[in-house]
Amino acid sequence: SGSTFVPAVVVGTGYGAAVSALRLGEAGVSTLMLEMGQLWNQPGSDGNIFCGMLKPDKRSSWFKTRTEAPLGSFLWLDLANRDIDPYAGVLDRVNFDQMSVYVGRGVGGGSLVNGGMAVTPRRSYFQEVLPQVDADEMYGTYFPRANSGLRVNNIDKDWFEQTEWYQFARVARQQAESAGLKTTFVPNVYDWDYMRGEADGTVPKSALAAEVIYGNNHGKVSLDKSYLAAALGTGKVTIETLHQVKTIRQQNDGTYLLTVEQKDPDGKLLATKEISCRHLFLGAGSLGSTELLLRARETGTLPALSSAIGGGWGPNGNIMTARANHVWNPTGSKQSSIPALGIDDWDNPDNPVFAEIAPMPAGLETWVSLYLAITKNPQRGTFVYDAAKDRADLRWTRDQNAPAVAAAKSLFDRINKANTTIYRYDLFGKQIKAFADDFCYHPLGGCVLGEATDNYGRVSGYKNLYVTDGSLIPGSIGVNPFVTITALAERNVERVIKEDIAGS
Ligand code: FDA
């Protein structure tokens, strides 16, 4: 056939993908990574690689005609969004009927757009979610390996206490404490020393210039600077960008044949390629990997795939909410876009919540305290293949988020009561709404470990086919998920290289 053969293909360049590619490269396996988004290393005409949050342009969004910011309104006015040209920008909002999912697009996946919060989950909850995974191994070996590979670091507490850039977090901490709640510092992959330099005026600003969801021009150690740089450094790994995998089939000799569309950044189709490989790793994220496998099962190109594919999806209990502070409690016109503190009430038996104290870097005083609450919602969604649209559709209804809203409300009602404050109702679109229950940042599940795959991400029904990303985690992990995704990928790929590849 006219296809190009490579020993291993990794689809995507997010956390699971980057870990797999690095370890394959170190094992001497020639590996091709296929990424539908762009490599973000070229400055635009303004001298910056990425645009900021306050003046978004086409670089912000994945083929949209208008930006779709999570905090779309202020006093119900749509101030944050702009009309733009459709372009291969860095942040996508995938809109399903009753849930929208934000994902990163580009070399580095979600690491390009996320807040960098690098949280190791509570061991007891990890064991509850993934009981078949050896927790001693995870906490002894793979979580430390992930933290070091990601270059996780901690904020200097003295600096935190005195800098104007974290006044918003100190105000929110004080109010949590007056309600009897405890807060905890949250490690990050943003280089805190660089941020201090930003505050001192010695280096260009990024976190302190309202950059995050559309990319950070400086400071953040995204995957392109950590795992992917190391992967390329093995000399065995190459990355093709603006290459989207569409279909997967298995050939008679057991190898996999992919059809791949190459586009230009404006969306024009440049080529349709066929690439074959012996070992195929899916790291396209919860939405991407699940869609590829569902399509393969439903169109009959991988007919032996299990009925478990598509199941076990959840938004990690994500609920965003905001409070209005009294005029004597300003949160500051200067806010770092990188969160540093969380309210940890996960031990609350009735309503476990871990709430990140989020910035609202509007550049002016808003008196707003914003939070991304992670709750323990047992509800799960299911992806189904929509043949007419040739895409995975998410079966998830708004009312499935009611337990998550209730948990968040119980915590923030306590804080409001203790501080005689109220919610903000104007930030989440045109309706009067205190809890954003219709979007998430933390899509998890779709190809659940031990259900759609074996205990190491080997896809059931097929040899040499693996899932490596957030789709392995069954819908909830109780904290921001990328450290867990990374650590699990480290564990799985080590086993796969040893048992399936090293001797073959
Ligand atoms: P990930 O989504 O990272 O990567 C998948 C990649 O595959 C993407 O680059 C995509 O373009 C590509 N792809 C998809 N389909 C493809 C196809 N068919 N062909 C080729 N390429 C394809 N987490 C956290 O721990 N701390 C935090 O602070 C935050 N904050 C945060 C903020 C925002 C705004 C968002 C959107 C997300 C977060 N997250 C987060 C979540 C975190 O970013 C997320 O959990 C991980 O990026 C998921 O990693 P994966 O490896 O699963 O895939």
Side-chain angles (χ1 to χ4, degrees), residues 93-101 287 291 313 383-384 391-396 438 443:
R93 174 171 165 139
V94 181
N95 296 312
F96 299 105
D97 183 29
Q98 303 197 28
M99 171 59 74
S100 293
V101 182
L287 270 50
E291 178 171 86
W313 186 86
F383 288 103
V384 291
R391 73 163 211 170
D393 205 6
L394 180 62
R395 297 255 163 94
W396 169 274
D438 55 353

Side-chain angles (χ1 to χ4, degrees), residues 135-176:
D136 282 339
E137 269 182 17
M138 288 299 292
Y139 286 80
T141 304
Y142 302 110
F143 278 118
R145 187 176 296 173
N147 275 284
S148 107
L150 293 165
R151 306 227 304 265
V152 174
N153 71 147
N154 293 292
I155 193 168
D156 180 296
K157 296 192 171 112
D158 293 333
W159 183 68
F160 171 86
E161 295 302 339
Q162 50 90 27
T163 178
E164 58 188 341
W165 298 96
Y166 282 108
Q167 182 182 328
F168 75 94
R170 295 192 300 268
V171 166
R173 175 181 62 186
Q174 198 268 313
Q175 292 166 337

Side-chain angles (χ1 to χ4, degrees), residues 11-12 16-17 105 248 281-296 305 309-310 383 392 445-447 459 465-472:
V11 183
R105 300 273 182 230
I248 307 169
F281 293 80
L282 303 182
S286 167
L287 270 50
S289 294
T290 307
E291 178 171 86
L292 283 169
L293 290 177
L294 269 183
R295 179 184 291 131
L305 287 173
I309 285 166
F383 288 103
C447 314
V459 176
L465 177 60
Y466 313 93
V467 171
T468 70
D469 54 33
S471 43
L472 293 172

Side-chain angles (χ1 to χ4, degrees), residues 11-17 34-37 91 102-111 113-119 188 213 223 243-246 283-286 288-289 291-292 339 356 440-444 468-471 479-483 485:
V11 183
T13 55
Y15 293 90
L34 298 169
E35 168 56 53
M36 66 194 274
L91 181 68
Y102 284 96
V103 293
R105 300 273 182 230
V107 174
S111 77
V113 299
N114 68 34
M117 296 177 72
V119 194
N188 208 288
I213 62 170
L223 288 168
H243 278 58
Q244 184 176 13
V245 177
K246 301 297 282 193
S286 167
S289 294
E291 178 171 86
L292 283 169
E356 136 194 358
C440 73
Y441 287 168
H442 300 165
L444 294 173
T468 70
D469 54 33
S471 43
V479 291
N480 314 63
F482 74 61
V483 171
I485 295 170

